[in-house]
Amino acid sequence: MNKATQLSPLRKSTRHEDASALATEQAEHFGIDTQSEFGQTLIELATTLYTANHHTHDLWAITLDGLSELDKNDRIAWFNAKRFLSFQLAKILDNLQNPMRATYKTIATKNGHFASKGAYPIFDNVAAIFSASPVITRTATYLFACTEWVEDAFNGREPLHDIYSRLLNPTSISLANHIVDIEAGDMADQYLAWNFNSGMAAIDGLLSHLLGREDIVLASRNIYGGSYQLLQDWYRKSSNLDVAVEWVDGYDEAAFANAMDAAAAKYADRIKAGRKIYVYLESPCNPHGFVLDVAGISRVTHERGWRVMADTTVGTPFLHPVLKRTDPMERPDFVIHSYTKELAGSGTTTAGVVIGRNEDMFIPKGDTVTTKTPNGEPRDVSWDDTLFWNVYYIKGAFLDADKAFEVLNGMKTYELRVMQKTINTLTLARILSQHPDINVSCPALPDSPNYVLMQENMRLGLPAALFTIDMEGAPDVESASDVKGASGRPPIHPDAFKQFFDMLEPAVGMQVSLGQTNTVALCPAMTTHSELSAEALDRAGIKPTTLRIAVGLEDPRQFIAHIQRAAEMSIDNKHPEFSSSFPSPDRIDALYKQTYMDVQKRFLEDLPSYDTLLK
């Protein structure tokens, strides 16, 4: 938009560019006598604003061009000088409110039903600009400046005007900007986010944006049961989109590359007809917490010119920052989070988000952008190919202001929470793995087949706060070193297991979510993954007695103490030695202290030096 005419009520139709001429035109447009004292004063003020807008754009350009070369002293100075300008501009706006309010009273207050209009919001909203937290904007509609600004707003060319809270809301936009900064770091300017009313709404929004009839999806085997059901039972359904879904059992780029080649051969006819292949990942996976080589899988996907989606809810941007890779080939095209889990953290709201590159998320109506794919090939993107116009603008699962505010508040502490949960997860996995009748599936354990990938892909080699255990016994093998030296262990009796599971409250919540402050456990075969067939459950490594443990902030020894006592009253009735087979109290205390110190040391050693902070 032309910066000279940006403030004009006739920005789309004016022929003027001079500040004084634009100010005079503005006065005439609103029926002001330009020769009157009021008219002359208004024109002088408006001229000042047009001139100030020029200087604001100049300051913007100078900042973007020179910021990378500044030392820290200048960065601090530049920020605070511009910060104070915001207060000055707001004060001018505040000074305008009293005469505006006086005029308003002479027009509106004599109406017999004046109360029905409510308070005129501009009068009282100026101070809210400086609220220490984003304001909860509880409104369905917004005030518009003038006709031509409204037209621009509905074409995506006036970001100041949110046109309807079903689409955009200042609180939700604040959250979207914040998650991009957290997820993408120094590359945040390349990305945008759109918030949805739940994690599943975000997943469905992205899939419905990308997938066309008879497209092909390669998905990691271990994904959330709701995601599995959405792909398998809706998108794959022939009466819906007849999408082909192929499940990949491996976790590294080689396994996915092989699956990609097999899918390309299997669906050659579809591809020849113009259909596309997409890759859908979840890392760390639900329910076992296994980690995928997202960078490597993204690279081999982009080498083929395909696109990749990654749900990194369980890992969070703190442990699994997949968009901070310097090589664009190693970044997923889209990242999904369920805010409901670790980011909000309290289990009191549902919300989700999709993050993608700017050109994939929003382009003003009618425009086309020429860009490059991650592998460097030129690509033209039309406005109606973006997620905003294709899905977000016309569907209804949008995040309201109250939920956005709750997520923003929760995100203030998510790093501290995730760090403590990592300590608790390592502690629990190590203690439980020493029980001869408990099989632990956790990538933090060195004997896990996923251990190396987890070390390479997760920050500091730390696991997410999610793993599984089962009591299915061990196979009868000649050498049982891989099952803790005991071959032929029978599974725990189903009745004893159910009785035990029913006794986990209150120390362990019997709840279906994860990422909350308290530890929760559930049986995926009965709950989150109950949509899967018996064959699919087996392929996903989910047994009848598999327990998914989503670790909370409590002392992990409380968890162990409770399940040991619960086992005494239940499992011991069928398996008398079970409860006495946990490690000794001294051993459990030592494991907790050792793990706590080790993780904190890793984190401290990873922090930037003070000399770096000074720079």
Side-chain angles (χ1 to χ4, degrees):
M1 186 181 296
N2 186 333
K3 63 184 179 183
T5 61
Q6 188 179 43
L7 302 188
S8 171
L10 303 175
R11 57 164 58 153
K12 299 170 68 65
S13 55
T14 185
R15 296 180 181 179
H16 298 292
E17 295 225 353
D18 175 74
S20 178
L22 286 166
T24 301
E25 181 183 59
Q26 177 177 325
E28 292 172 344
H29 177 74
F30 289 106
I32 304 298
D33 180 356
T34 59
Q35 300 305 312
S36 67
E37 180 182 6
F38 179 89
Q40 288 292 303
T41 303
L42 183 143
I43 290 170
E44 288 180 13
L45 175 57
T47 301
T48 300
L49 293 177
Y50 282 106
T51 304
N53 193 46
H54 273 280
H55 294 314
T56 302
H57 280 275
D58 292 342
L59 202 58
W60 185 351
I62 292 168
T63 300
L64 294 180
D65 291 341
L67 195 58
S68 61
E69 306 300 323
L70 292 181
D71 64 24
K72 190 154 189 178
N73 286 354
D74 283 336
R75 291 178 190 227
I76 292 171
W78 282 31
F79 172 79
N80 280 294
K82 285 179 285 192
R83 171 181 170 273
F84 187 67
L85 279 174
S86 299
F87 279 89
Q88 291 175 302
L89 292 171
K91 188 58 187 173
I92 291 173
L93 183 58
D94 184 52
N95 289 336
L96 189 60
Q97 300 314 301
N98 279 336
M100 185 175 166
R101 186 191 294 268
T103 308
Y104 175 77
K105 287 178 180 178
T106 66
I107 299 171
T109 59
K110 300 185 187 308
N111 186 327
H113 299 284
F114 169 66
S116 64
K117 295 182 67 64
Y120 200 74
I122 295 179
F123 298 149
D124 303 307
N125 281 358
V126 176
I129 297 172
F130 303 108
S131 169
S133 294
V135 176
I136 303 176
T137 311
R138 286 195 183 110
T139 186
T141 60
Y142 299 87
L143 300 177
F144 292 134
C146 59
T147 305
E148 294 194 5
W149 287 32
V150 175
E151 186 179 359
D152 277 342
F154 274 81
N155 284 285
R157 299 178 188 277
E158 181 41 76
L160 180 65
H161 273 345
D162 294 333
I163 58 178
Y164 195 42
S165 275
R166 183 172 61 80
L167 297 172
L168 300 171
N169 176 284
T171 318
S172 186
I173 291 171
S174 178
L175 173 58
N177 292 336
H178 191 46
I179 188 62
V180 169
D181 287 341
I182 287 174
E183 181 69 71
D186 291 342
M187 291 172 282
D189 62 328
Q190 301 174 27
Y191 291 91
L192 278 177
W194 297 121
N195 296 322
F196 291 81
N197 204 39
S198 69
M200 282 305 302
I203 294 169
D204 183 49
L206 179 57
L207 291 175
S208 64
H209 168 58
L210 294 176
L211 298 182
R213 184 163 185 82
E214 295 188 340
D215 278 342
I216 304 102
V217 173
L218 271 70
S220 47
R221 171 75 64 185
N222 294 109
I223 62 173
Y224 172 57
S227 306
Y228 177 94
Q229 186 178 24
L230 183 64
L231 284 167
Q232 188 77 0
D233 296 343
W234 200 93
Y235 283 94
R236 194 178 67 90
K237 193 174 181 180
S238 60
S239 59
N240 292 334
L241 290 182
D242 196 19
V243 169
V245 182
E246 296 290 324
W247 301 101
V248 184
D249 291 301
Y251 305 102
D252 60 12
E253 64 176 277
F256 272 80
N258 290 335
M260 291 174 193
D261 293 341
K266 181 177 180 179
Y267 298 103
D269 290 345
R270 290 196 183 195
I271 295 170
K272 185 177 180 180
R275 306 325 310 154
K276 297 177 181 179
I277 295 181
Y278 296 91
V279 175
Y280 183 89
L281 311 176
E282 185 175 313
S283 178
C285 303
N286 190 343
H288 303 300
F290 287 164
V291 176
L292 275 64
D293 181 10
V294 175
I297 297 168
S298 295
R299 184 173 54 251
V300 296
T301 304
H302 291 143
E303 286 171 356
R304 290 160 171 77
W306 304 342
R307 311 186 84 185
V308 57
M309 302 162 267
D311 181 344
T312 61
T313 294
V314 175
T316 77
F318 179 70
L319 290 180
H320 204 21
V322 295
L323 289 184
K324 291 180 181 175
R325 309 287 295 199
T326 55
D327 185 353
M329 290 284 283
E330 296 183 343
R331 295 181 228 148
D333 297 283
F334 299 93
V335 170
I336 303 162
H337 286 292
S338 172
Y339 286 133
T340 312
K341 312 304 191 298
E342 298 288 3
L343 292 173
S346 60
T348 56
T349 194
T350 59
V353 65
V354 176
I355 306 168
R357 292 188 63 86
N358 293 332
E359 64 271 16
D360 289 318
M361 302 298 279
F362 177 79
I363 297 173
K365 189 178 286 187
D367 287 2
T368 297
V369 170
T370 299
T371 183
K372 290 184 178 179
T373 62
N375 63 8
E377 295 181 359
R379 174 177 170 236
D380 291 333
V381 185
S382 174
W383 66 276
D384 53 357
D385 289 329
T386 63
L387 190 144
F388 180 85
W389 296 108
N390 190 35
V391 170
Y392 201 74
Y393 186 74
I394 56 176
K395 291 199 172 185
F398 311 102
L399 192 64
D400 64 75
D402 290 86
K403 286 187 174 185
F405 182 83
E406 192 163 353
V407 177
L408 279 164
N409 260 0
M411 286 173 67
K412 293 175 182 177
T413 59
Y414 98 92
E415 292 172 322
L416 299 174
R417 289 185 278 104
V418 169
M419 177 60 65
Q420 182 60 49
K421 289 183 179 186
T422 292
I423 294 169
N424 294 351
T425 301
L426 279 166
T427 301
L428 288 173
R430 288 169 176 172
I431 293 172
L432 292 170
S433 69
Q434 295 188 16
H435 192 294
D437 289 314
I438 298 177
N439 301 316
V440 180
S441 182
C442 177
L445 299 176
D447 61 355
S448 168
N450 193 239
Y451 179 75
V452 174
L453 276 179
M454 191 274 289
Q455 292 289 314
E456 292 174 347
N457 286 273
M458 297 291 278
R459 183 181 180 187
L460 306 179
L462 297 174
L466 186 75
F467 67 99
T468 61
I469 63 173
D470 71 65
M471 302 172 190
E472 293 295 314
D476 189 3
V477 293
E478 291 184 9
S479 174
S481 60
D482 60 333
V483 287
K484 296 177 267 193
S487 65
R489 289 187 290 112
I492 297 300
H493 194 281
D495 292 342
F497 171 76
K498 287 183 180 179
Q499 186 181 16
F500 164 76
F501 190 37
D502 284 340
M503 292 182 178
L504 291 181
E505 290 275 11
V508 183
M510 193 185 296
Q511 298 166 248
V512 297
S513 193
L514 54 90
Q516 301 178 73
T517 55
N518 60 307
T519 298
V520 300
L522 54 76
C523 189
M526 300 178 189
T527 55
T528 57
H529 291 67
S530 58
E531 300 87 1
L532 277 65
S533 66
E535 180 184 9
L537 285 169
D538 185 63
R539 288 181 177 177
I542 299 173
K543 310 296 183 184
T545 63
T546 294
L547 280 181
R548 187 193 75 182
I549 300 171
V551 183
L553 297 174
E554 314 97 324
D555 184 333
R557 296 170 301 168
Q558 274 296 121
F559 177 97
I560 298 296
H562 186 90
I563 69 169
Q564 186 169 359
R565 291 303 189 191
E568 288 177 5
M569 296 184 288
S570 55
I571 297 177
D572 280 6
N573 294 328
K574 302 282 187 182
H575 307 270
E577 303 298 321
F578 187 90
S579 66
S580 61
S581 297
F582 284 93
S584 69
D586 288 345
R587 177 62 179 153
I588 288 174
D589 286 341
L591 276 170
Y592 182 39
K593 292 174 184 177
Q594 176 189 350
T595 302
Y596 192 98
M597 297 298 291
D598 172 57
V599 173
Q600 293 290 358
K601 181 181 178 183
R602 279 193 245 179
F603 180 65
L604 285 171
E605 291 177 348
D606 187 60
L607 293 174
S609 68
Y610 183 66
D611 186 58
T612 301
L613 295 175
L614 280 174
K615 296 176 182 177

